[in-house]
Amino acid sequence: MSTRATRPTRNDAEAALVEHYPQLVRLAHLILPPSLGRHRRLLTAHALAQKSFSAAAPSRSGPAPDPTVPAQRGEPDPVLAWLRQRVVSAALRAAAHPLRSRGRHPLPAVLGLRLFPRAGADGEVALESALAAATPEVRAAFALRVLEGLGAQPTARLLAAEGVTAPDDAVRAADRLRADLGPVAELLLNGVEFDPCTVQARPTDLLRRRHRARLAGLAAVAVLLAASTVAVLTPRPEPAAPVPPSVTALAAASARASDPGLLLRTSGELWADTGRVDFTAWPARGGRTGDTALLSRALDAWARGTGDPAGVRVIVTPGTPTTPPAAPARLLFAGTVDDSAVVLLHDGGRLVRYAEPLAGRGRALLELARADEADVTSGAAVAVGRTPEGARFLLAPWIDESAVRDLLRPEVPARRLAVSGDGVTDPVPKASGDCRRVPALQVRSSTRIVEDHSFLLADLGEPGPVHLTWTPAPGTGAPARQPREATSAAGLAAWARSACALPGLSGTGVRAVNRWEFAQQTLPERAGRATWTCTRAEGWDGRARVAVTWEGPDARTRPTPVRVPGRTPADTAACSRFGQHMLAGTYWTAPSGTRWFLAAGSRALTAVTARGPVSATARGQVLAVRANAAGQVRLTGTVPGSADLHGWGENERESGGS
């Protein structure tokens, strides 16, 4: 099967290039060798990105075609994939012949100035040195894996399609470098050291420039003499060809992005008749959508971003790019919330909230958070204001009902939440620090898009609340369960056991959390029934963290975390559709004082074996054996038709936790 992406039309390619321009330039810049010099490397990266759409198919003439349906959640953008492949191909060719590439890309061109990215911190400088020592193929694999989020096999296939002789070796080398860096790899690559769209300028050699100017003057006289001769022979010369876009095009794009008059505004009823129910369907709401001065201040603060925070406090959710806007954003809200003037923007991949105090006291706030691939649930609400009383949310236009409830008290009915005409809620209380209260939003979508669909959202202190779901325990002979909304009595009772773990996820960029009850076990000595759970917190960047717990029969007790040998993995497929098998164990003391070792696995297991301080084998999904010893027990589960399943965390320990 071909690994080449389908060639798009020039109109589609140009639109995607404008939308993803900073991302593609950063990709090219990372692959190009530092031996080009910072100035030439930066300009070459821009040239490669700008030329990436030149091989697109000619657009048909005639009436404008109907707008295409954008890529939905979980679906890769085929036009972006084609542009990415073009950029990688061109950057690898330029890296293979750096001296030849100096004259191959004359535009963009800058006269009288030297441009280069801003200097980064120590970690970014160290990473730049490590990448400089790597081959272009390894740099490309590293960029595709870390920046673009591609898997190992898609990365290898893309490199192989571009003629890399050992793509698997390049991917493995990139993964080793990524493992050495740990979770900060993406954060470092999104830093200023690797941002060719946020540059510093310095003059060239002024004395040399003066000497060259004299020579240029003599050359100009010769050109004029030659031109006069040509004019005699050619009375009506053809007009000069227009100069192709260069760095000035970037300045023009930045100016357009900062123009409040060009902000995108969606019509009020689009959400009810569209195939894409996300932030692109939100209309502009609030009493200050026509306040050009406020919108200008918000856009200016965003354009300056983290590079010039004077007078503006900047908060960036982990994994969120901090690049300035490359095109006009969509206006979602502009109005007064409590004691602040608030502007909410969306640029296709990020939410940007700007707030300034009405009284003129204190600093303005700029908050950036990822919001790519949002949907009906993850795009249902955004925090627009926070006070000691709680957070106010702007609800999506498709939300018909909203209420607030305490997750720790599932038997107490949800309390109706008042909403203004602009869609702003009354304050939702904050979770208490001692876990005596964990509030959550319970909302219901309109029957105009989804029939009778209600779901839970939890505020973790970021712009977007977290979608809570649960997967019930398997029943005997029942089909495999799928994650479902946690608004039923059973779902609310289940989340009452896990709610106290939610505040620990604050500030980590989480978009959804699912509680999976992967096993239930009858305890020895008729002590009741225990539940084994796996809580998976998925981030906007596609990574996920997992916590496995054992819950005793008394619902008033806190769950017992299952200890992981070594460090908890920062990203794992466990407890997802790509990691559907789970096995875990823990020590337990019965009411009689007898100590036991318990283990349980998911529905597909047919046997469980324990080795180490405890040695035993049991048929089925559960194991219980008296234990006088202590220490880490090694577990192995038998899954028909598959390799043996190790206990939770044991694979991570063997591989160093990467």
Side-chain angles (χ1 to χ4, degrees), residues 416-434:
R416 181 179 176 275
L417 189 63
V419 181
S420 72
D422 289 329
V424 178
T425 69
D426 277 0
V428 176
K430 296 187 297 185
S432 60
D434 54 2

Side-chain angles (χ1 to χ4, degrees), residues 68-80 275-276 278 372-374:
T68 57
V69 178
Q72 300 296 296
R73 178 179 176 180
E75 299 179 359
D77 184 346
V79 183
L80 174 59
R276 184 173 179 176
D278 57 14
D372 44 325
E373 299 183 358

Side-chain angles (χ1 to χ4, degrees), residues 289-381:
T289 55
D291 189 339
T292 304
L294 173 63
L295 299 178
S296 294
R297 291 194 296 273
L299 291 170
D300 181 62
W302 185 12
R304 287 184 282 120
T306 58
D308 183 16
V312 178
R313 183 165 61 98
V314 181
I315 299 176
V316 181
T317 298
T320 304
T322 59
T323 52
R330 189 176 307 277
L331 177 62
L332 305 183
F333 179 84
T336 300
V337 179
D338 294 319
D339 296 327
S340 299
V342 176
V343 176
L344 186 64
L345 303 166
H346 178 248
D347 71 344
R350 295 175 293 180
L351 281 172
V352 179
R353 185 174 76 93
Y354 172 81
E356 61 182 28
L358 293 176
R361 298 178 181 177
R363 301 171 66 188
L365 171 68
L366 180 71
E367 193 169 10
L368 292 87
R370 286 187 64 163
D372 44 325
E373 299 183 358
D375 55 16
V376 174
T377 55
S378 56

Side-chain angles (χ1 to χ4, degrees), residues 94-321:
H97 305 284
L99 295 179
R100 190 185 307 172
S101 68
R102 291 176 182 268
R104 183 177 295 178
H105 308 290
L107 294 173
V110 178
L111 300 178
L113 289 174
R114 307 289 293 178
L115 302 180
F116 46 87
R118 296 180 177 180
D122 293 342
E124 292 166 295
V125 174
L127 176 58
E128 172 72 359
S129 300
L131 292 174
T135 63
E137 293 79 8
V138 173
R139 290 197 298 270
F142 187 78
L144 293 170
R145 296 279 284 134
V146 179
L147 274 183
E148 301 295 314
L150 297 187
Q153 292 185 354
T155 299
R157 288 196 296 267
L158 192 154
L159 295 178
E162 301 310 326
V164 175
T165 55
D168 293 328
D169 293 343
V171 172
R172 282 192 289 269
D175 286 346
R176 285 194 298 270
L177 178 58
R178 181 180 185 179
D180 292 340
L181 293 170
V184 301
E186 183 176 359
L187 184 62
L188 291 175
L189 281 189
N190 281 293
V192 295
E193 179 79 16
F194 302 100
D195 183 6
C197 291
T198 304
V199 301
Q200 290 180 312
R202 294 291 184 270
T204 56
D205 190 326
L206 299 178
L207 292 177
R208 183 179 300 174
R209 189 196 306 175
R210 184 178 180 185
H211 176 66
R212 288 176 176 173
R214 293 175 178 173
L215 295 178
L218 296 176
V221 173
V223 170
L224 288 175
L225 292 175
S228 62
T229 304
V230 173
V232 172
L233 299 176
T234 311
R236 298 182 62 184
E238 293 293 329
V243 179
S246 63
V247 175
T248 55
L250 298 179
S254 177
R256 286 175 51 83
S258 300
D259 186 348
L262 297 179
L263 287 172
L264 305 178
R265 300 172 187 245
T266 303
S267 62
E269 291 298 314
L270 177 67
W271 63 270
D273 187 22
T274 178
R276 184 173 179 176
V277 185
D278 57 14
F279 289 116
T280 62
W282 279 39
R285 290 173 288 175
R288 304 185 66 171
T289 55
D291 189 339
T292 304
L294 173 63
L295 299 178
S296 294
R297 291 194 296 273
L299 291 170
D300 181 62
W302 185 12
R304 287 184 282 120
T306 58
D308 183 16
V312 178
R313 183 165 61 98
V314 181
I315 299 176
V316 181
T317 298
T320 304

Side-chain angles (χ1 to χ4, degrees), residues 381 389-395 399-405 414-420 423-429 439-443 457:
E389 297 180 2
R392 293 185 187 270
F393 290 88
L394 178 66
L395 299 180
I399 298 300
D400 268 358
E401 300 176 13
S402 60
V404 62
R405 69 179 316 131
R415 173 176 57 84
R416 181 179 176 275
L417 189 63
V419 181
S420 72
V424 178
T425 69
D426 277 0
V428 176
L441 275 170
Q442 181 168 324
V443 298
L457 301 172

